[in-house]
Each structure stands twice: as C-alpha cells, then as structure tokens.
Amino acid sequence: KTVNVAASATETVIKNTLPVAEVDGVAYDTLPEVVAAIENKVAAGATAVTVKLLSDVSVENTTLSIPNKFALTLDLNGKTYTYTDDRTDVQGDGAARYAVDLGATSTLTVTDSSTDQTGTMKAVGTALCCLNNNGGTLNVLGGRFVMASTSSSYAIFSQNGASTIIEPVAEK
C-alpha cells in the first residue's frame, strides 16, 4: 500500500522507539502521527515540510509518496529508515515497491545532520529501490543508501526526466 498525504496515517505498519520524528520541529511518537502532521500542513496550504528522524524506523509494504508541487526535506539525523517489502513479483498488483516515491513535480531533499554522518535509508526483501524519482527533483546532500533486496540493486532510481543531484559527503 502507499501512504499519500491524502491517505489515512493509520495504515502504516511501524516498529520503532519513541519519539520517531519531528515535523517542522514538533516531535511525534509514531509514524502515522508524522504522516498526519504532514497531511494537516498540506491541508493548511503548506508546500514544504522538514522531517527529522529521532529514532530508527522500520516500515513494511508501505511507500511514502510525495505529492506533486510539494517539497519534503528528510533529515536522517544519524538514524536508519528501513523499508521492507515482502510481496512477490508474481502478485501482479502493480504496487510500488519503493521506500519513497517522488511525483513529477515534487521535491525531496535528503540530509544527515548527525556528526558521524551515519544516517541510512535501507531497502530489503523484494523492494525495488530506496528512492524512486519519477520526474521530480531529488537532492541527496547526505545519508547512505543500502540495498539488501532480492529484486533489485538500485538504491536510487531516476526516470521520466527526473533531476537527481548527489553531493559528495566527506569521509569521516
């Protein structure tokens, strides 16, 4: 299933310690609360939001879709965001198998504000990639991307005229 900013935040399956993240500086205990906070900001007319991870997060079979004309900054903050997909390719359900999916006019900026620069996005199981840029703008300014998938080896997949900028991070 896909969690859009218009979807119910209660659909997300999570395993984490608390609190999980901040949205524009306000801490939330669960990923559904984070998604609801983003939904509320969109409903109020916001076009951008910053999410900072405060603990490691595991998400199962749930893609975070960034809507068109919306900008999300994801600060990994030294934490790990693990996306697990256990669906088989023969299901033919057409389901997205990405941790994050960018729309044609959406923007995602990934950073890692931690001192050690250990923030990681990881895709496991039958996941196709960590970040799917489907014509949007992706700016990777920090973070590590790990594929532990049986289906693909793409950490970042850009298509349909997408703009993807990856800034080098100094080795520590």
Side-chain angles (χ1 to χ4, degrees):
K1 65 191 145 180
T2 300
V3 175
N4 295 302
V5 291
S8 170
T10 59
E11 295 176 354
T12 306
V13 177
I14 62 168
K15 296 177 191 138
N16 63 280
T17 57
L18 303 178
V20 65
E22 292 178 351
V23 177
D24 289 339
V26 178
Y28 295 91
D29 290 340
T30 67
L31 197 55
E33 290 174 342
V34 170
V35 172
I38 296 169
E39 290 173 345
N40 291 337
K41 288 185 173 285
V42 169
T47 57
V49 68
T50 297
V51 175
K52 181 178 184 178
L53 294 184
L54 300 176
S55 66
D56 294 339
V57 177
S58 293
V59 181
E60 299 171 357
N61 299 334
T62 302
T63 295
L64 176 62
S65 290
I66 301 172
N68 287 329
K69 299 182 182 178
F70 192 78
L72 175 73
T73 298
L74 174 62
D75 179 358
L76 296 170
N77 188 35
K79 308 304 180 200
T80 299
Y81 184 103
T82 302
Y83 168 73
T84 301
D85 196 314
D86 60 6
R87 296 170 287 189
T88 63
D89 291 336
V90 296
Q91 285 176 289
D93 58 7
R97 289 179 171 81
Y98 325 116
V100 180
D101 189 31
L102 284 75
T105 59
S106 58
T107 301
L108 173 64
T109 301
V110 180
T111 65
D112 182 5
S113 63
S114 70
T115 303
D116 294 336
Q117 296 289 292
T118 56
T120 303
M121 184 167 277
K122 183 176 182 180
V124 299
T126 59
L128 295 181
C129 64
C130 292
L131 302 173
N132 180 49
N133 187 357
N134 195 12
T137 301
L138 172 62
N139 302 300
V140 178
L141 308 177
R144 299 171 186 208
F145 299 85
V146 176
M147 288 301 297
S149 173
T150 59
S151 296
S152 177
S153 59
Y154 299 109
I156 299 171
F157 186 70
S158 294
Q159 59 185 330
N160 298 324
S163 171
T164 300
I165 298 170
I166 301 173
E167 296 286 332
V169 176
E171 289 289 321
K172 298 254 179 199

